[in-house]
Amino acid sequence: MKRVLKSTLALFLCLCTIFSGAVIAFAADVATPTGLAIVSVNDSKVEIKWNGVDGAAGYAVERATDPNGKWKEIKKNTTSTNYADTSIDGGVTYYYRVRAFKKSGFLNLGKTYSDYSEIVKTIVDPEQVQGLMAVTT
């Protein structure tokens, strides 16, 4: 009985390996998004846009305060080719990058990501913040 179970398990693992390898082998690369640009900056948001990628299921947007530091994914699954970052602070320099993804793997449960786009930079300048009024007492 143990021999039958071991053989069945070995066959199952072999088939899984072959099947997953076939899925990976047929998964096409995803092109890198291009044209990343800052559209606008104000006191409450930074808007960015980029060119769409043929065959992409969506995009992931990342932000950092140092281009060589830690990047944070601020939008995981957007199908849009623009994004408004509303969690910003004045006086801070922000860097943005984007990558495309497509569904892959068994039942399309996985994702195949592109390389990262070029990096764009903006400074949320508190001197240019509009809509605030100074009050003196």
Side-chain angles (χ1 to χ4, degrees):
M1 182 68 170
K2 284 185 179 182
R3 181 176 281 171
V4 171
L5 286 175
K6 283 184 181 181
S7 296
T8 304
L9 179 59
L11 177 62
F12 176 75
L13 292 175
C14 183
L15 289 173
C16 287
T17 303
I18 291 169
F19 181 71
S20 66
V23 170
I24 291 169
F26 290 114
D29 290 336
V30 181
T32 302
T34 59
L36 181 62
I38 303 292
V39 175
S40 68
V41 180
N42 64 35
D43 63 327
S44 61
K45 68 182 170 187
V46 174
E47 291 184 82
I48 62 173
K49 70 174 185 169
W50 58 93
N51 298 326
V53 171
D54 287 339
Y59 305 91
V61 179
E62 294 187 356
R63 180 185 72 195
T65 54
D66 176 350
N68 300 312
K70 184 173 169 98
W71 287 84
K72 179 181 178 184
E73 192 171 64
I74 56 174
K75 186 66 177 175
K76 292 182 184 240
N77 293 313
T78 183
T79 56
S80 178
T81 56
N82 56 50
Y83 178 72
D85 183 5
T86 57
S87 60
I88 60 171
D89 294 314
V92 177
T93 300
Y94 292 107
Y95 299 86
Y96 294 89
R97 67 186 184 184
V98 177
R99 62 183 177 162
F101 67 85
K102 66 180 248 173
K103 303 285 183 161
S104 63
F106 182 67
L107 298 177
N108 283 332
L109 296 177
K111 291 181 182 173
T112 300
Y113 284 93
S114 71
D115 290 334
Y116 289 105
S117 68
E118 67 272 23
I119 295 171
V120 294
K121 169 186 173 183
T122 190
I123 300 171
V124 179
D125 186 353
E127 296 295 320
Q128 294 179 354
V129 172
Q130 300 174 7
L132 298 179
M133 182 187 330
V135 177
T136 59
T137 58

